[in-house]
Amino acid sequence: MQLVIGRIGKPHGVRGEVTVEVRTDEPEARFAPGTVLRTEPGATPPPTSDEPGVPFQVPAELTIEEARFHQGRVLIAFEGFLDRDTAEALRGTLLVVDSADVTPPDDPEEFHDHQLVGLAVVTPAGERLGEVVRIDHAPSSDLLVLRRPEGRTALIPFVRAIVPEVDLAGGRVIVDPPAGLLDL
């Protein structure tokens, strides 16, 4: 499974650096110089190349030449993209890693999003409530986005009082929702 760890934004300056919208908890490790990242084209179509009739193709991999933090953003220079115009061609590209390459957290109470997506959600009595389809990271707490059996979605605050157990080996999340939570 490919995990998105960043999205390339606009160029910064004239030396080929780009801004990166970070989507990982470990930006220092993921965006270290020398790291090779796989790419997926973004939502915006890439511009054409300088050669007539030849569309620009984002490389399948990009190597980080330099990375730095500037005013709360990550700025990255990739090998082979040495000016603003060539860096602009990368805008919208997603940077991904394989989930198999992600080290599981040391803390047994901490989980990566991809570990939770697809797990069955059940009550302590074993009643099936649905399936985790994604995790929303809200300011006050993370939210499990649950697809209910009838097709609706429900948001479950990912806090111990409501989610007492995550059983990765058993493929389930045990949820003890307060009355009315699933009716919202």
Side-chain angles (χ1 to χ4, degrees):
M1 168 191 260
Q2 297 296 310
L3 304 176
V4 176
I5 61 165
R7 185 181 144 283
I8 298 176
K10 64 184 180 178
H12 178 83
V14 296
R15 296 191 177 133
E17 287 182 309
V18 293
T19 60
V20 173
E21 174 190 316
V22 175
R23 297 185 187 173
T24 177
D25 289 342
E26 304 169 324
E28 294 85 4
R30 297 274 174 234
F31 302 120
T35 302
V36 177
L37 298 173
R38 285 178 237 147
T39 65
E40 286 185 9
T44 57
T48 58
S49 72
D50 290 338
E51 298 177 43
V54 179
F56 175 80
Q57 292 291 322
V58 174
E61 294 181 336
L62 292 170
T63 302
I64 297 174
E65 186 172 288
E66 185 179 326
R68 63 188 176 101
F69 290 85
H70 176 69
Q71 295 180 346
R73 290 187 284 183
V74 177
L75 300 177
I76 296 180
F78 292 104
E79 287 181 8
F81 293 84
L82 305 176
D83 61 37
R84 186 177 187 88
D85 292 335
T86 57
E88 176 66 38
L90 296 174
R91 187 187 286 226
T93 300
L94 300 175
L95 302 170
V96 298
V97 296
D98 193 305
S99 61
D101 297 337
V102 177
T103 306
D106 293 332
D107 183 352
E109 298 295 316
E110 186 178 330
F111 306 95
H112 291 297
D113 292 3
H114 73 276
Q115 293 176 294
L116 301 171
V117 172
L119 295 182
V121 178
V122 298
T123 65
E127 175 191 353
R128 185 172 171 85
L129 299 175
E131 177 182 323
V132 177
V133 292
R134 75 174 188 273
I135 312 302
D136 284 352
H137 299 281
S140 60
S141 73
D142 293 337
L143 299 167
L144 298 175
V145 180
L146 172 69
R147 182 183 313 120
R148 302 277 288 144
E150 66 275 7
R152 292 185 307 113
T153 58
L155 300 176
I156 309 283
F158 195 20
V159 295
R160 180 169 295 284
I162 299 172
V163 184
E165 183 180 345
V166 174
D167 179 7
L168 293 178
R172 66 188 185 143
V173 176
I174 297 174
V175 173
D176 191 9
L181 178 67
L182 299 176
D183 299 327
L184 296 175

